[in-house]
Amino acid sequence: STVSMGDECISGQKDLYLTTRERLLKYEMFGRGMDYEEAKRDWEEDERAQLTKALEDLKAQVTGLEIGTLSMRTKNIYSIREKTQRKPDKYPGPESERDIFGIKILINSRDYLGAVLEFFSSRYGLKTVDSEEKGKKYKVYHLNLQDEQGRYIEIQIFWDKAEYLKE
């Protein structure tokens, strides 16, 4: 029997997905002892609730700080694979990915950036991978951290709503 091109394409995509997933699990990129589904649920539900509470505490400590928006995501395995194919020099394999977990936050003024950076560094920053203010596509402060569970977390801090909406 013959296999249609559609089935080969689906089969090939499934193989790429499984290969990528296995490598990410091998290097514990979802956190120690976690698979993708557990890590996604933990990050997007449990961690979101804890972080929301911790940010409320931070607002109470830092006079004038307002947090307009908080979003969190777990990058899907297909996106990770696609990024390694699109930028092989920078990301030779899925284990080189440094933004599997993401936080995007909008604060009311750049004046509070230092307090917010300190907060995130103390909460997640076992190791700072890199940090920089970016302004090419949109103005944002990027902070990439690795926490004690081994998760790589990209944090984007915006202080201008128009810039936040560009992203």
Side-chain angles (χ1 to χ4, degrees):
S1 74
T2 60
V3 177
S4 73
M5 277 304 272
D7 290 343
E8 288 175 18
C9 185
I10 291 169
S11 176
Q13 287 296 320
K14 186 175 180 182
D15 290 344
L16 287 175
Y17 175 88
L18 292 174
T19 302
T20 302
R21 182 186 171 98
E22 286 171 13
R23 283 181 70 177
L24 291 165
L25 287 170
K26 176 182 173 185
Y27 290 97
E28 296 188 315
M29 299 295 287
F30 303 125
R32 290 187 184 83
M34 287 195 156
D35 68 17
Y36 179 77
E37 289 75 19
E38 289 173 310
K40 182 175 174 58
R41 185 175 45 256
D42 178 64
W43 183 253
E44 295 179 9
E45 293 174 17
D46 300 342
E47 186 59 34
R48 178 187 304 274
Q50 293 171 25
L51 181 57
T52 299
K53 168 77 173 88
L55 287 169
E56 287 298 320
D57 294 345
L58 178 66
K59 281 176 25 181
Q61 294 167 14
V62 179
T63 305
L65 172 64
E66 293 297 324
I67 297 169
T69 306
L70 167 69
S71 63
M72 297 174 74
R73 62 109 179 105
T74 308
K75 185 174 274 191
N76 71 53
I77 292 172
Y78 286 111
S79 292
I80 294 167
R81 181 64 185 189
E82 186 275 330
K83 193 172 183 180
T84 62
Q85 291 176 326
R86 191 170 28 92
K87 300 179 179 179
D89 292 340
K90 189 171 182 180
Y91 304 102
E95 64 280 358
S96 59
E97 184 69 45
R98 296 297 179 255
D99 67 344
I100 293 175
F101 299 94
I103 296 171
K104 206 163 71 167
I105 186 169
L106 173 63
I107 59 176
N108 58 318
S109 170
R110 192 180 191 296
D111 296 340
Y112 301 107
L113 181 60
V116 174
L117 284 171
E118 186 177 312
F119 167 80
F120 281 117
S121 292
S122 67
R123 184 169 180 90
Y124 299 112
L126 177 66
K127 178 174 133 189
T128 300
V129 179
D130 62 51
S131 62
E132 66 180 320
E133 190 167 330
K134 294 187 175 185
K136 203 173 200 179
K137 294 182 193 172
Y138 46 86
K139 292 181 181 134
V140 64
Y141 195 92
H142 270 243
L143 179 64
N144 290 308
L145 302 170
Q146 184 179 24
D147 71 2
E148 73 242 355
Q149 295 179 44
R151 299 181 298 194
Y152 286 94
I153 303 164
E154 175 192 51
I155 301 167
Q156 297 178 337
I157 305 167
F158 292 83
W159 53 88
D160 181 324
K161 190 170 187 171
E163 295 293 321
Y164 179 85
L165 295 172
K166 282 183 190 178
E167 203 273 326

